[in-house]
Amino acid sequence: MPDNRLLVIDDEPDVAATVGRVARRAGFDTIVTTDGADFLERAWSWEPTVMVLDLAMPDVDGREILAELARRSSKAHILIVSGFERPEIEEAMAAGRAAGLNMAGILEKPLRIDSLRAALRAIYDDAELISAEDTRAALERGEFFLHYQPKVSLRTLRPAGVEALARWRHPQRGLISPDSFIPVMEAGGVMDRFTPHVIGQAVAQARTWRDQNLDIGIAVNVSGGSFDRLRLDDIIGQRCREQGVDPACLTVEITETAAMVNVAEAIDGMRRLRAMGVRISIDDFGTGYSSLVQLHRLPFSEVKIDKSFVLDCDINPESQVIVRTIVSLAHNLGLKVVAEGVETAGISDQLLAAGCDIVQGYHYGRPMAADALGDWLRGFGRPARDIPARIGAAP
Ligand code: C2E
Ligand code: MG
Ligand code: MG
């Protein structure tokens, strides 16, 4: 039996099924139920490591289930899903904690796939915390490398570049995803050494692909904080000269633009990059940190809609409205729009109808090793219906 077992109870079959699907993809063995007695029975016989519990169900009182779990000293991580008002949920969380339960977080309805994934990841990561010192040592040992994920033009269905996504090959723990180490690097002051390292690898790869007659643009991610402190134009200029690569094949995706404290200097830095032909993208647009003012004031070339709005834009009218609004806003400002998190043909169709320019997601290709990407690109000239839905390594 895998170590990760997730038990979910919800009276809404859609919610229960979504939790089950997302958890299974995240590597959990999963059981879904709508019945309180069944839930409690499995809570003991199956020993789940994570339980997802709806508090507001018509036939079952979620708070009674919590009380019963506390009586039996359950050790599982408990996530609460609820349409209740916030104070009632906070109260249930506090009561659970006071009774010794491991209350891991709250998932609000309507359930967002992304928040569920983040909650599961947080539980998993807590078990094995990474320190800034670990990442510094790993950088010295050369354990970081890049995977590449294709972007596709919706209008022509031709490849429109790739995004370089960092991976850590940990000698004991295997492949570690950036969500587990990037925040640690940002907080621990490692980013300013990591960013040049990533740029160096991406430019070297651009050279290798060019030597193989593959002309493809590469986007690298740069945190807002690094953008502020580093002279990116010098770093990119130098690496490109060393490799004989045109800087115009690079895009810089800026995440956490709120971390850019000095806006006047940021604008200068961005202008210098634009003058070299480098494109600049505002990543994860629509989430807490990006703002309209930044979009207007800073010389961006493109907007990347955050995947939390894309993942369910085919079924969630609210996400659909957000996507359409971002597309028209960006186009009015003369910016291209990229959507990330395009997992299905249905989502891709929605984005096409919304006027989105470029798509990126598992439906077209997963992040993959550089060699695999070469093969993917060579196979991409075929008609759209032949495009393999899932190619490459797991993300
Ligand atoms: P991001 O820049 O927004 O990158 C997109 C993320 O969405 C990637 O996660 C990618 O694997 C994932 N993704 C792509 N298609 C799909 C899809 O169809 N469905 C879903 N659910 N996800 C999809 P990844 O590789 O885990 O990277 C996470 C984040 O870590 C990145 O988000 C970026 O903010 C950061 N990151 C990655 N590499 C670097 C780096 O070299 N430097 C910095 N500063 N940040 C990096
Ligand atoms: Mg990005
Ligand atoms: Mg993103």
Side-chain angles (χ1 to χ4, degrees):
M1 207 186 298
D3 267 356
N4 294 326
R5 288 178 302 282
L6 181 139
L7 177 63
V8 44
I9 180 167
D10 201 305
D11 62 310
E12 289 178 50
D14 281 3
V15 174
T18 303
V19 173
R21 186 166 53 89
V22 171
R24 252 172 240 119
R25 280 212 208 146
F28 284 81
D29 208 353
T30 303
I31 294 181
V32 176
T33 179
T34 52
D35 177 80
D38 184 43
F39 181 89
L40 282 172
E41 198 277 316
R42 291 182 192 273
W44 314 122
S45 61
W46 193 53
E47 293 184 36
T49 48
V50 179
M51 296 192 223
V52 181
L53 174 66
D54 189 347
L55 286 187
M57 295 178 286
D59 302 329
V60 189
D61 187 339
R63 283 166 292 197
E64 261 173 38
I65 292 188
L66 271 185
E68 183 59 24
L69 292 174
R71 264 193 295 281
R72 301 217 218 163
S73 311
S74 165
K75 291 281 165 282
H77 299 271
I78 299 172
L79 290 169
I80 300 291
V81 187
S82 180
F84 277 157
E85 293 298 316
R86 192 78 189 191
E88 288 181 81
I89 307 174
E90 299 283 3
E91 207 174 287
M93 292 289 287
R97 260 189 216 111
L101 289 175
N102 187 353
M103 306 303 289
I106 300 167
L107 299 167
E108 305 220 27
K109 283 187 183 174
L111 186 66
R112 297 209 83 100
I113 296 175
D114 240 31
S115 12
L116 174 60
R117 284 182 177 147
L120 293 178
R121 218 164 25 224
I123 289 172
Y124 180 76
D125 287 350
D126 272 356
E128 291 181 83
L129 278 181
I130 293 166
S131 73
E133 204 35 61
D134 294 340
T135 64
R136 211 171 271 127
L139 193 53
E140 291 295 322
R141 292 193 300 267
E143 289 171 5
F144 293 100
F145 67 104
L146 297 173
H147 269 174
Y148 298 88
Q149 185 178 31
K151 298 179 181 180
V152 172
S153 154
L154 261 182
R155 202 172 47 79
T156 62
L157 282 178
R158 303 289 308 155
V162 296
E163 177 174 11
L165 293 157
R167 301 288 182 260
W168 178 2
R169 190 175 285 115
H170 191 284
Q172 279 85 40
R173 291 172 55 183
L175 220 55
I176 301 182
S177 87
D179 285 333
S180 305
F181 61 81
I182 295 284
V184 176
M185 286 180 162
E186 277 167 355
V190 188
M191 220 51 208
D192 293 356
R193 289 177 55 198
F194 185 68
T195 301
H197 180 74
V198 165
I199 291 171
Q201 284 197 13
V203 172
Q205 188 59 52
R207 169 68 200 227
T208 305
W209 278 331
R210 204 195 61 196
D211 290 346
Q212 299 169 355
N213 284 326
L214 287 171
D215 236 340
I216 188 96
I218 303 184
V220 291
N221 289 282
V222 174
S223 330
S226 283
F227 191 88
D228 247 6
R229 290 181 303 264
L230 297 175
R231 279 292 300 252
L232 277 191
D233 52 328
D234 288 346
I235 296 168
I236 290 178
Q238 189 193 339
R239 297 291 196 281
C240 284
R241 271 193 306 280
E242 284 163 9
Q243 297 286 348
V245 163
D246 183 354
C249 76
L250 289 182
T251 299
V252 169
E253 293 188 6
I254 306 182
T255 54
E256 295 251 27
T257 41
M260 300 196 299
V261 190
N262 193 334
V263 175
E265 265 178 36
I267 293 178
D268 278 352
M270 290 168 86
R271 290 211 176 111
R272 284 195 298 271
L273 285 173
R274 292 292 302 270
M276 295 164 64
V278 176
R279 297 170 57 77
I280 303 177
S281 173
I282 180 164
D283 208 344
D284 299 340
F285 190 76
T287 57
Y289 294 113
S290 47
S291 78
L292 280 181
V293 178
Q294 286 174 333
L295 202 54
H296 181 62
R297 286 181 65 190
L298 303 178
F300 288 108
S301 333
E302 83 182 19
V303 170
K304 261 188 116 164
I305 309 179
D306 190 68
K307 61 177 172 293
S308 59
F309 307 116
V310 175
L311 285 167
D312 61 359
C313 73
D314 54 336
I315 49 169
N316 184 345
E318 189 190 311
S319 296
Q320 217 170 89
V321 170
I322 293 174
V323 165
R324 285 178 176 267
T325 308
I326 295 177
V327 170
S328 88
L329 170 74
H331 282 170
N332 281 329
L333 292 170
L335 305 172
K336 282 257 184 296
V337 185
V338 183
E340 60 179 28
V342 184
E343 291 191 353
T344 64
I347 296 175
S348 189
D349 290 345
Q350 272 296 332
L351 293 163
L352 181 63
C356 179
D357 303 296
I358 292 167
V359 281
Q360 174 183 352
Y362 301 164
H363 176 62
Y364 292 97
R366 293 196 167 230
M368 56 189 101
D371 293 349
L373 193 105
D375 295 340
W376 186 93
L377 286 171
R378 285 183 203 96
F380 203 79
R382 291 169 294 162
R385 62 182 172 281
D386 290 342
I387 295 168
R390 288 180 160 204
I391 302 175

Short mmCIF file of all heavy atoms in Angstrom, two decimals, residues 357-388:
data_model
loop_
_atom_site.label_atom_id
_atom_site.label_comp_id
_atom_site.label_asym_id
_atom_site.label_seq_id
_atom_site.Cartn_x
_atom_site.Cartn_y
_atom_site.Cartn_z
N ASP A 357 -3.74 33.87 -27.37
CA ASP A 357 -2.78 33.68 -28.46
C ASP A 357 -2.01 32.37 -28.38
O ASP A 357 -1.85 31.66 -29.37
CB ASP A 357 -1.76 34.84 -28.47
CG ASP A 357 -2.45 36.19 -28.58
OD1 ASP A 357 -3.08 36.44 -29.62
OD2 ASP A 357 -2.39 36.98 -27.61
N ILE A 358 -1.50 32.08 -27.18
CA ILE A 358 -0.58 30.95 -27.04
C ILE A 358 -1.00 30.09 -25.86
O ILE A 358 -1.45 30.61 -24.84
CB ILE A 358 0.87 31.47 -26.85
CG1 ILE A 358 1.34 32.15 -28.14
CG2 ILE A 358 1.83 30.37 -26.46
CD1 ILE A 358 2.60 32.96 -28.01
N VAL A 359 -0.86 28.76 -26.02
CA VAL A 359 -1.24 27.86 -24.93
C VAL A 359 -0.07 26.97 -24.52
O VAL A 359 0.81 26.68 -25.32
CB VAL A 359 -2.44 26.96 -25.32
CG1 VAL A 359 -3.74 27.71 -25.22
CG2 VAL A 359 -2.25 26.37 -26.71
N GLN A 360 -0.13 26.54 -23.28
CA GLN A 360 0.92 25.70 -22.71
C GLN A 360 0.23 24.79 -21.71
O GLN A 360 -0.55 25.26 -20.89
CB GLN A 360 1.94 26.60 -22.02
CG GLN A 360 3.03 25.88 -21.27
CD GLN A 360 3.96 26.86 -20.54
OE1 GLN A 360 3.88 28.06 -20.72
NE2 GLN A 360 4.83 26.33 -19.71
N GLY A 361 0.49 23.50 -21.79
CA GLY A 361 -0.15 22.62 -20.81
C GLY A 361 -0.01 21.16 -21.20
O GLY A 361 0.46 20.83 -22.29
N TYR A 362 -0.44 20.29 -20.30
CA TYR A 362 -0.26 18.86 -20.48
C TYR A 362 -0.96 18.35 -21.75
O TYR A 362 -0.56 17.34 -22.31
CB TYR A 362 -0.80 18.08 -19.27
CG TYR A 362 -0.15 18.44 -17.96
CD1 TYR A 362 -0.74 18.08 -16.75
CD2 TYR A 362 1.07 19.12 -17.92
CE1 TYR A 362 -0.15 18.39 -15.54
CE2 TYR A 362 1.66 19.44 -16.72
CZ TYR A 362 1.05 19.08 -15.52
OH TYR A 362 1.63 19.39 -14.33
N HIS A 363 -2.01 19.05 -22.17
CA HIS A 363 -2.70 18.60 -23.39
C HIS A 363 -1.76 18.61 -24.60
O HIS A 363 -1.87 17.77 -25.49
CB HIS A 363 -3.91 19.49 -23.66
CG HIS A 363 -4.62 19.15 -24.94
ND1 HIS A 363 -5.22 17.92 -25.15
CD2 HIS A 363 -4.83 19.86 -26.08
CE1 HIS A 363 -5.76 17.90 -26.36
NE2 HIS A 363 -5.53 19.06 -26.94
N TYR A 364 -0.85 19.56 -24.61
CA TYR A 364 0.08 19.67 -25.74
C TYR A 364 1.40 19.00 -25.46
O TYR A 364 1.99 18.37 -26.34
CB TYR A 364 0.28 21.14 -26.11
CG TYR A 364 -0.97 21.74 -26.67
CD1 TYR A 364 -1.84 22.47 -25.88
CD2 TYR A 364 -1.31 21.52 -28.00
CE1 TYR A 364 -3.02 22.99 -26.39
CE2 TYR A 364 -2.49 22.04 -28.53
CZ TYR A 364 -3.33 22.77 -27.71
OH TYR A 364 -4.51 23.26 -28.23
N GLY A 365 1.90 19.14 -24.26
CA GLY A 365 3.17 18.50 -23.91
C GLY A 365 3.55 18.84 -22.50
O GLY A 365 3.36 19.98 -22.06
N ARG A 366 4.05 17.86 -21.78
CA ARG A 366 4.50 18.09 -20.40
C ARG A 366 5.91 18.67 -20.43
O ARG A 366 6.59 18.59 -21.44
CB ARG A 366 4.51 16.77 -19.65
CG ARG A 366 3.13 16.23 -19.46
CD ARG A 366 3.11 15.15 -18.40
NE ARG A 366 1.71 14.90 -18.06
CZ ARG A 366 1.24 14.87 -16.83
NH1 ARG A 366 2.02 15.07 -15.80
NH2 ARG A 366 -0.02 14.64 -16.61
N PRO A 367 6.35 19.24 -19.30
CA PRO A 367 7.77 19.61 -19.23
C PRO A 367 8.59 18.35 -19.43
O PRO A 367 8.24 17.30 -18.89
CB PRO A 367 7.92 20.14 -17.79
CG PRO A 367 6.55 20.53 -17.36
CD PRO A 367 5.63 19.57 -18.05
N MET A 368 9.63 18.44 -20.25
CA MET A 368 10.40 17.23 -20.58
C MET A 368 11.87 17.56 -20.73
O MET A 368 12.25 18.73 -20.87
CB MET A 368 9.85 16.59 -21.85
CG MET A 368 9.83 17.51 -23.06
SD MET A 368 8.94 16.78 -24.45
CE MET A 368 7.36 17.60 -24.36
N ALA A 369 12.69 16.51 -20.73
CA ALA A 369 14.13 16.70 -20.88
C ALA A 369 14.42 17.29 -22.26
O ALA A 369 13.64 17.10 -23.20
CB ALA A 369 14.83 15.36 -20.72
N ALA A 370 15.55 17.98 -22.40
CA ALA A 370 15.89 18.67 -23.65
C ALA A 370 15.86 17.72 -24.86
O ALA A 370 15.33 18.07 -25.91
CB ALA A 370 17.25 19.33 -23.52
N ASP A 371 16.39 16.51 -24.69
CA ASP A 371 16.44 15.57 -25.82
C ASP A 371 15.04 15.19 -26.28
O ASP A 371 14.74 15.14 -27.47
CB ASP A 371 17.15 14.27 -25.40
CG ASP A 371 18.61 14.53 -25.12
OD1 ASP A 371 19.07 15.64 -25.45
OD2 ASP A 371 19.26 13.64 -24.55
N ALA A 372 14.16 14.93 -25.30
CA ALA A 372 12.79 14.54 -25.63
C ALA A 372 12.10 15.69 -26.35
O ALA A 372 11.27 15.48 -27.25
CB ALA A 372 12.02 14.17 -24.38
N LEU A 373 12.44 16.92 -25.98
CA LEU A 373 11.77 18.05 -26.60
C LEU A 373 12.12 18.16 -28.08
O LEU A 373 11.27 18.50 -28.92
CB LEU A 373 12.11 19.36 -25.90
CG LEU A 373 11.12 20.39 -26.41
CD1 LEU A 373 10.07 20.68 -25.38
CD2 LEU A 373 11.76 21.61 -26.92
N GLY A 374 13.38 17.84 -28.41
CA GLY A 374 13.78 17.85 -29.81
C GLY A 374 12.86 16.93 -30.62
O GLY A 374 12.34 17.30 -31.67
N ASP A 375 12.63 15.72 -30.11
CA ASP A 375 11.76 14.76 -30.80
C ASP A 375 10.34 15.31 -30.89
O ASP A 375 9.66 15.18 -31.90
CB ASP A 375 11.73 13.41 -30.05
CG ASP A 375 13.09 12.75 -30.09
OD1 ASP A 375 13.90 13.12 -30.97
OD2 ASP A 375 13.35 11.87 -29.23
N TRP A 376 9.88 15.90 -29.80
CA TRP A 376 8.51 16.45 -29.77
C TRP A 376 8.35 17.50 -30.87
O TRP A 376 7.37 17.48 -31.62
CB TRP A 376 8.23 17.06 -28.40
CG TRP A 376 6.82 17.51 -28.22
CD1 TRP A 376 5.80 16.79 -27.69
CD2 TRP A 376 6.27 18.78 -28.59
NE1 TRP A 376 4.65 17.53 -27.70
CE2 TRP A 376 4.90 18.74 -28.25
CE3 TRP A 376 6.79 19.93 -29.18
CZ2 TRP A 376 4.05 19.82 -28.48
CZ3 TRP A 376 5.94 21.01 -29.41
CH2 TRP A 376 4.59 20.94 -29.05
N LEU A 377 9.34 18.38 -30.96
CA LEU A 377 9.24 19.46 -31.94
C LEU A 377 9.24 18.91 -33.37
O LEU A 377 8.46 19.35 -34.20
CB LEU A 377 10.42 20.43 -31.79
CG LEU A 377 10.37 21.35 -30.58
CD1 LEU A 377 11.69 22.08 -30.41
CD2 LEU A 377 9.22 22.35 -30.73
N ARG A 378 10.07 17.92 -33.60
CA ARG A 378 10.14 17.37 -34.95
C ARG A 378 8.84 16.68 -35.33
O ARG A 378 8.45 16.64 -36.48
CB ARG A 378 11.31 16.39 -35.07
CG ARG A 378 12.65 17.11 -35.15
CD ARG A 378 13.81 16.14 -35.34
NE ARG A 378 15.04 16.77 -34.88
CZ ARG A 378 15.56 16.60 -33.66
NH1 ARG A 378 14.97 15.79 -32.79
NH2 ARG A 378 16.65 17.23 -33.31
N GLY A 379 8.12 16.16 -34.32
CA GLY A 379 6.87 15.46 -34.60
C GLY A 379 5.67 16.38 -34.65
O GLY A 379 4.55 15.94 -34.89
N PHE A 380 5.87 17.66 -34.45
CA PHE A 380 4.73 18.53 -34.24
C PHE A 380 4.10 19.06 -35.53
O PHE A 380 3.05 19.66 -35.50
CB PHE A 380 5.11 19.72 -33.34
CG PHE A 380 3.92 20.32 -32.65
CD1 PHE A 380 3.38 19.72 -31.53
CD2 PHE A 380 3.33 21.48 -33.15
CE1 PHE A 380 2.28 20.26 -30.90
CE2 PHE A 380 2.22 22.03 -32.52
CZ PHE A 380 1.70 21.41 -31.40
N GLY A 381 4.74 18.83 -36.67
CA GLY A 381 4.23 19.39 -37.91
C GLY A 381 2.93 18.75 -38.38
O GLY A 381 2.31 19.20 -39.32
N ARG A 382 2.51 17.67 -37.69
CA ARG A 382 1.31 16.95 -38.14
C ARG A 382 0.03 17.70 -37.82
O ARG A 382 0.05 18.62 -37.01
CB ARG A 382 1.30 15.57 -37.48
CG ARG A 382 2.39 14.68 -37.99
CD ARG A 382 2.53 13.46 -37.15
NE ARG A 382 2.98 13.80 -35.80
CZ ARG A 382 2.86 12.99 -34.78
NH1 ARG A 382 2.28 11.84 -34.91
NH2 ARG A 382 3.32 13.34 -33.59
N PRO A 383 -1.11 17.28 -38.40
CA PRO A 383 -2.36 17.97 -38.12
C PRO A 383 -2.69 17.90 -36.63
O PRO A 383 -2.26 16.98 -35.93
CB PRO A 383 -3.40 17.17 -38.91
CG PRO A 383 -2.67 16.30 -39.84
CD PRO A 383 -1.26 16.19 -39.38
N ALA A 384 -3.51 18.88 -36.20
CA ALA A 384 -3.79 19.02 -34.77
C ALA A 384 -4.30 17.74 -34.15
O ALA A 384 -3.95 17.40 -33.04
CB ALA A 384 -4.80 20.14 -34.57
N ARG A 385 -5.18 17.02 -34.86
CA ARG A 385 -5.81 15.86 -34.21
C ARG A 385 -4.79 14.76 -33.91
O ARG A 385 -5.05 13.89 -33.10
CB ARG A 385 -6.95 15.32 -35.06
CG ARG A 385 -6.53 14.81 -36.41
CD ARG A 385 -7.73 14.33 -37.21
NE ARG A 385 -7.34 14.02 -38.57
CZ ARG A 385 -7.16 14.94 -39.51
NH1 ARG A 385 -7.33 16.20 -39.24
NH2 ARG A 385 -6.79 14.59 -40.73
N ASP A 386 -3.63 14.81 -34.57
CA ASP A 386 -2.62 13.79 -34.31
C ASP A 386 -1.68 14.16 -33.16
O ASP A 386 -0.84 13.39 -32.77
CB ASP A 386 -1.75 13.56 -35.55
CG ASP A 386 -2.55 12.88 -36.64
OD1 ASP A 386 -3.59 12.30 -36.30
OD2 ASP A 386 -2.13 12.95 -37.81
N ILE A 387 -1.85 15.38 -32.66
CA ILE A 387 -0.93 15.81 -31.60
C ILE A 387 -1.14 14.92 -30.39
O ILE A 387 -2.24 14.82 -29.88
CB ILE A 387 -1.19 17.27 -31.21
CG1 ILE A 387 -0.87 18.18 -32.38
CG2 ILE A 387 -0.34 17.64 -30.00
CD1 ILE A 387 -1.38 19.60 -32.17
N PRO A 388 -0.08 14.24 -29.97
CA PRO A 388 -0.25 13.39 -28.80
C PRO A 388 -0.64 14.22 -27.59
O PRO A 388 -0.07 15.29 -27.37
CB PRO A 388 1.13 12.76 -28.60
CG PRO A 388 2.01 13.25 -29.69
CD PRO A 388 1.30 14.32 -30.43
#
